[in-house]
């Protein structure tokens, strides 16, 4: 899969040279798992399982001198979560031009996550016939399964969190070979969570109370005597 929106690159899992080495190793393991180069075929799950299947086929041909059949599989209509994928899913071409009966089918995909894509791919393969065996080969197994499905051939296995995403790109589909572990932008998530907490916990702000203007001090009364008592009233005039 390509990079998801709202994510940042956290850790590079494979560079182009690393991908090449991993695929070369997986090609040898495919031959061993199938018991030789006869009687098996590679089937890539669209989209990025297709270049993986084709590269495995080229590696096997280079080392064994035998061209292994490679098929392409679109599993869109077999998904159990189709309504959440897209309102109008785009169907791509399925091309399996060889009989699957009595063959070992090696299903190829870029990332194994919940297992729902692989379950859909198995259903699609069975509509073509009953293979002798189905083997799963994935470039990256990131764990967190929702269905009891496991890969027999794995390029790299890592443990991931719910917020992390594994991004696999191929030259054939994306213009470059790369595998990155992505994560959601922590700044945005922290800001969003903080805003939610503040909205829930913070009391409503009250309008500031205006202070009444200070009253003027009353005028001082007549001066008092030294003892603090009011000065005695003056006596009236005596008789002349």
């Amino acid at each position: 899969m390509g990079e998801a929106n709202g994510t940042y690159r956290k850790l590079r899992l494979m560079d182009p040279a690393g991908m090449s080495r991993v695929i070369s190793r997986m090609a040898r393991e495919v031959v061993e798992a199938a018991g030789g180069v006869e009687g098996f075929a590679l089937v890539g799950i669209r989209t990025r399982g297709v270049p993986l299947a084709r590269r495995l086929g080229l590696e096997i041909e280079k080392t064994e001198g035998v061209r292994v059949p490679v098929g392409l599989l679109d599993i869109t209509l077999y998904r159990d979560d189709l309504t959440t994928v897209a309102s109008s899913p785009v169907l791509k071409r399925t091309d399996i031009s060889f009989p699957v009966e009595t063959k070992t089918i090696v299903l190829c995909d870029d990332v194994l996550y919940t297992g729902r894509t692989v379950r859909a791919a198995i259903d699609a393969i069975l509509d073509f016939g009953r293979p002798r065996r189905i083997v799963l080969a994935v470039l990256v197994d990131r764990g967190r399964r929702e269905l009891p499905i496991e890969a027999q051939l794995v390029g790299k296995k890592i443990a991931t969190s719910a917020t992390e995403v594994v991004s696999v790109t191929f030259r054939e589909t994306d213009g470059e070979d790369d595998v990155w572990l992505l994560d959601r932008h922590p700044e945005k998530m922290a800001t969003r969570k903080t805003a939610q907490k503040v909205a829930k916990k913070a009391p409503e702000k009250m309008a500031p109370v205006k202070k009444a203007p200070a009253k003027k001090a009353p005028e001082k009364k007549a001066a008092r005597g030294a003892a603090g008592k009011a000065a005695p009233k003056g006596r009236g005039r005596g008789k002349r």
Side-chain angles (χ1 to χ4, degrees):
M1 61 179 296
E3 293 189 13
N5 292 331
T7 59
Y8 71 100
R9 289 184 171 186
K10 186 175 185 179
L11 177 66
R12 195 176 200 176
L13 302 177
M14 297 182 206
D15 58 12
M19 281 184 68
S20 179
R21 288 192 298 269
V22 167
I23 292 174
S24 295
R25 170 177 58 79
M26 290 180 67
R28 295 191 297 271
E29 293 174 349
V30 166
V31 175
E32 292 175 5
V37 293
E38 300 296 332
F40 81 92
L42 298 159
V43 176
I45 302 174
R46 287 189 176 275
T47 296
R48 291 172 181 83
V50 173
L52 177 60
R54 286 174 172 165
R55 291 197 191 183
L56 289 172
L58 290 173
E59 286 291 330
I60 294 171
E61 185 177 1
K62 187 195 308 182
T63 57
E64 303 291 336
V66 176
R67 179 171 294 181
V68 178
V70 178
L72 320 178
L73 184 65
D74 178 25
I75 52 90
T76 302
L77 294 181
Y78 291 85
R79 297 182 66 105
D80 61 0
D81 57 350
L82 182 60
T83 55
T84 64
V85 173
S87 56
S88 301
V90 178
L91 299 180
K92 299 179 181 178
R93 183 170 59 98
T94 290
D95 183 8
I96 298 179
S97 57
F98 48 82
V100 301
E101 290 85 355
T102 71
K103 281 187 181 298
T104 294
I105 300 298
V106 181
L107 279 176
C108 303
D109 205 4
D110 58 341
V111 179
L112 176 58
Y113 183 23
T114 63
R116 296 184 181 277
T117 295
V118 177
R119 184 211 62 79
I122 293 172
D123 287 346
I125 287 291
L126 292 177
D127 279 351
F128 283 87
R130 182 176 178 177
R132 180 169 63 88
R133 186 161 61 119
I134 296 177
V135 177
L136 178 60
V138 297
L139 191 63
V140 180
D141 182 351
R142 60 165 292 186
R144 307 188 68 81
R145 213 78 73 240
E146 294 177 3
L147 297 177
I149 290 174
E150 296 298 327
Q152 289 71 44
L153 307 172
V154 179
K156 188 176 185 66
K157 189 170 186 176
I158 62 169
T160 61
S161 69
T163 63
E164 292 173 331
V165 179
V166 176
S167 170
V168 176
T169 56
F170 287 96
R171 289 193 312 271
E172 297 89 332
T173 54
D174 310 282
E176 63 177 352
D177 290 340
D178 234 337
V179 183
W180 280 88
L181 179 66
L182 312 179
D183 206 342
R184 306 294 174 186
H185 286 295
E187 299 85 0
K188 292 183 180 179
M189 290 188 70
T191 302
R192 191 183 308 119
K193 289 180 180 178
T194 302
Q196 291 174 350
K197 287 181 180 179
V198 170
K200 289 180 180 179
K201 296 182 179 180
E204 294 183 0
K205 292 183 179 180
M206 299 182 67
V209 178
K210 292 183 179 180
K211 293 182 178 180
K215 295 181 179 180
K216 291 183 179 180
E219 295 181 358
K220 292 183 178 180
K221 294 181 178 180
R224 296 176 180 269
K229 295 181 180 179
K233 294 181 179 179
R235 295 178 181 179
R237 292 181 177 179
K239 293 181 181 180
R240 292 183 179 177

